[in-house]
Amino acid sequence: MLTADIPPNQTIYIKNLNEKIKKEELKRSLYALFSQYGRILDVVALKTPKLRGQAWVVFTELTAASNAFRQMQNFPFYDKPMRIQYAKSKSDCIAKDDGSYVPREKKKKQEEKAEKKRRAEEAQQYAMANGPGSQSNGGPKVPFHGNPNAQEAAPNSILFIQNLPHETTSVMLQLLFEQYPGFREVRMVDAKPGIAFVEYEDEDQSSTAMQHLQGFKITPQYPMAITFAKKGAPMNSQNKKKMQSLFSDSSSNPFDILTEEIVLKILDHLENDDASARKSFSLTCKTFYFIESRHRKILRPLRTELLPRVLHRYPFVSHLDLSLCPRVDDNTLNVISSTLKATLSSINLSRSRFFTNVGLSSLFVNCSSLVEVDLSNGTQLTDLAASAIAEAKNLERLRLARCKLITDMGIGCIAVGCRNLRLLCLKWCLRVGDLGVELIALKCKEIRSLDLSYLPITEKCLKSVLQLQYLEDLILEGCHGIDDDGLSTLEQSSKSLKMLNLSNCQNVTCVGLSSLTNGAEQLEQLILAYGSVVTADIAKCLHNFSKLQSIKLDGCLVTLSGIKAMASLNTSVKELSFSKCLGVTDEGLSLLVQSHKQLKKLDITCCRKITYTSIDSITNSCTSLTSLRMESCSLVPKEAFVLIGPRCPYLEDLDATDNEIDDKGLKSISRCSKLSILKLGICSNISDEGLAYVGSCCSMLKELDLYRSMAISDAGITAVADGCPALEMINIAYNDKVTDKSLTSLSKCSMLKELEIRGCPGVSSIGLSAIAMGCKQLTVLDIKKCFNIDDNGMLPLAQFSRNLKQINLSYCSVTDIGLVALASINSLQNMTILHLAGLTPNGLAAALLACRGLMKLKLHASFKPLLPRSFLEYMEAHGCVFHWRDKAFQKEMDPKGWNLHLGRSTSTELP
DNA sequence: AGCACA
């Protein structure tokens, strides 16, 4: 059995121990070392020639063993790194506990084992000599990973077929199996290609079919492997009894009565990305553990060091997301390409560095089924990398955003090599110009989506791009080389175009736009944010688009005639965005919403001219509105918010940040029972009374922002915590009325992922402990300037918040001790640690060395000279990026709210 | 490298 195949066991097996240590001392030290993970029942170590250097540690709990297994792997112990595995069998002291202990008769037992092995080998040889798949080349070429107990399965009218090529369909199998009498049906498992179940009327008939089709090759490389399916148990009274006795007898596994088919079906119903559900599933029993490992398709590992073993456990992974691994070197890519050769279809390397074209080349040459690759942020990648990409002949989706060294030459290679590209993102590839893009357009005829944002291109390459007959999405954001004159030379747009983004193209006006979109009859979405003035001319281009759904003009100057032109369109759009637009008035907006009554999403952030009138028109006309974003609409009075609740019952998302809304308004809005996102930052007119309405009516609420809404206190937060169990994000920053009571209430929200309590002096480590214990999904935490949070808050966080990715603890009272504890959280990626009075350079270094997945770290510049250079290099080599800040210590925390209208500190200081 | 309980 290979290491990765050994299922979890409450006993761990440790090898590579220092053989010079005396047995008793070794046992004592192991006991001391591993007690931190849980209660230990026994430590076994022997010094016989065969068993020296090894030991077993028996825990009372499986979870203790698995934590020890993970966390102490390679731990240096008496100068040698420990190699830990799960024990292969149950320890005697456990067996004695649960009554399954059978005293062994030493030699006899061993002989029996050997005998069994011999017999199994004989049987296999016999099968090899007689099976039909063997005539030419001796059995299946491709090892199939099926149920290891398959050969022992009793005859069954259902057959279990493995090692099928992935393109096999149920019709193909039916044609094959219906030739034999008694055929009933073929069943395939959607989420698991390569296997199928075929049912016959009885066991004789299924046996006949099995004999005839054993080893049949649908394609030359895949001889099918047929076994009897594991027996399922219909629920007659006899079985019920069996079930009951199984449950009362802990030594056998009640789940063994489920067939693999049923177990796979259960897995199909688990969310693919729900790690905890999958984990519980595989810890149910050995069979489940095994089946889950074959079913897993998506993997997002935390550590590349463990990748060889992880990939061995999950051989059918097709989607590998390495965005949590800052360091991925060529060696790692080699491991991936050799283990996932045939199965890998998608890989994300956008957050990883340290690999080169050599590793990429091995990846693309070996993994021929790769269809999707994200290499964004590969600022180190050159044209050599591009020519490696060109080996990926089947690539369909390629992202190269910010690969600034890749030139037209490299893109040319990709154009020639990857003819099946459907999506290509070249955003910020500053050395790619007309030539590269033209080559892509000429060679890659399948392109659907092309992102050319911020490229130094002109209309020259657009000629070819617009001839792509399947082009749907074209993104030309910030292409300053494109202007009206150039566009006027274009004759016809792409007929298939659905989305056009010309944001930040200041040299393009409605004139250029109409040349570019001439003939684009399928256009659904037009994004012209931060562009030139929107005038009546816009009507000229828009009136042709009968399918237009969405117009975004964020940051543009919009004239009244421009808005009138949009109001006179004969199509009804679903989405309009005017965030930060100058020129939006009550008159224009009212006209517009009256002619677009189907509107679902409207963004009028910072439209500072609109008043009650606009809100009245919007809510009157657009009753199916789901999203209304109106941050800082400073002339809208509080009375306007009362209109929203009764008129827009489908509202899911309301941004009323920095508005006059009061409790009456909140009462009205709480009638929107589908409300999921509610932003009430800097709303000083709302109080606990208003929040109580939200708490009692909006049970689907997921996000609540109360940043600097200073009138609220514990009672309001508690009402929300009690009434909104689905809450995932809450921001209560800069509120001096909030205390630990709020945090204790919020600890009941078990889905909470993001908590910001920056600048709340009333909360302490006690409240944070409650959060740590109750909110196990917590991923992002901001406790900056919570002066009363100290090391006592970090310890529970370290123990319970194992999913924490990001933390800001600047200005807290945390010291070396708290930080070192925090560092034990494996998932930590991003920390901001400024102005911690009790932090020493040594404590910081010790903590950081323990955080192996760190990607981004904000520290005060004064630490830089105090940390050894070699230490900084070590961290950087592991993928950590340091951000040195030198802002002076701020004693007061913006007591008068000076920052209020100068942009929010959240967005400038948190990444 | 190696899977036991004496």
Side-chain angles (χ1 to χ4, degrees), chain A residues 209-345:
Chain A
M210 170 150 73
Q211 279 164 26
H212 282 93
L213 290 172
Q214 188 66 271
F216 183 89
K217 293 168 184 163
I218 291 186
T219 60
Q221 301 88 349
Y222 290 91
M224 59 172 72
I226 312 178
T227 52
F228 292 114
K230 264 184 146 188
K231 274 248 161 106
M235 269 302 179
N236 54 31
S237 60
Q238 217 186 339
N239 272 311
K240 257 187 209 157
K241 239 191 225 162
K242 191 178 161 199
M243 222 16 197
Q244 279 157 6
S245 74
L246 282 171
F247 273 111
S248 56
D249 171 9
S250 61
S251 67
S252 355
N253 171 14
F255 297 105
D256 277 347
I257 61 165
L258 298 175
T259 61
E260 178 163 356
E261 188 180 6
I262 293 175
V263 178
L264 286 169
K265 282 263 190 276
I266 298 172
L267 269 172
D268 284 342
H269 286 280
L270 291 183
E271 293 281 337
N272 240 325
D273 56 349
D274 187 344
S276 63
R278 285 192 158 256
K279 205 168 175 182
S280 327
F281 181 92
S282 30
L283 289 175
T284 308
C285 63
K286 291 182 187 180
T287 320
F288 278 27
Y289 178 88
F290 183 83
I291 296 177
E292 196 271 336
S293 76
R294 312 283 136 167
H295 180 271
R296 177 84 69 121
K297 294 285 172 303
I298 301 176
L299 204 63
R300 189 156 56 129
L302 261 178
R303 301 265 180 276
T304 49
E305 303 94 274
L306 305 176
L307 210 55
R309 265 176 283 175
V310 172
L311 293 183
H312 195 264
R313 190 188 154 191
Y314 296 111
F316 293 121
V317 159
S318 60
H319 181 100
L320 188 59
D321 180 351
L322 295 169
S323 60
L324 301 183
C325 305
R327 188 191 169 95
V328 173
D329 54 20
D330 286 344
N331 207 2
T332 310
L333 290 183
N334 286 334
V335 167
I336 294 167
S337 53
S338 57
T339 7
L340 297 179
K341 244 183 189 147
T343 48
L344 193 66
S345 76

Side-chain angles (χ1 to χ4, degrees), chain A residues 773-789:
Chain A
M773 285 189 269
C775 312
K776 303 262 165 55
Q777 304 298 318
L778 197 68
T779 321
V780 178
L781 177 64
D782 189 328
I783 49 173
K784 176 177 172 180
K785 299 198 176 179
C786 291
F787 308 112
N788 290 316
I789 290 181

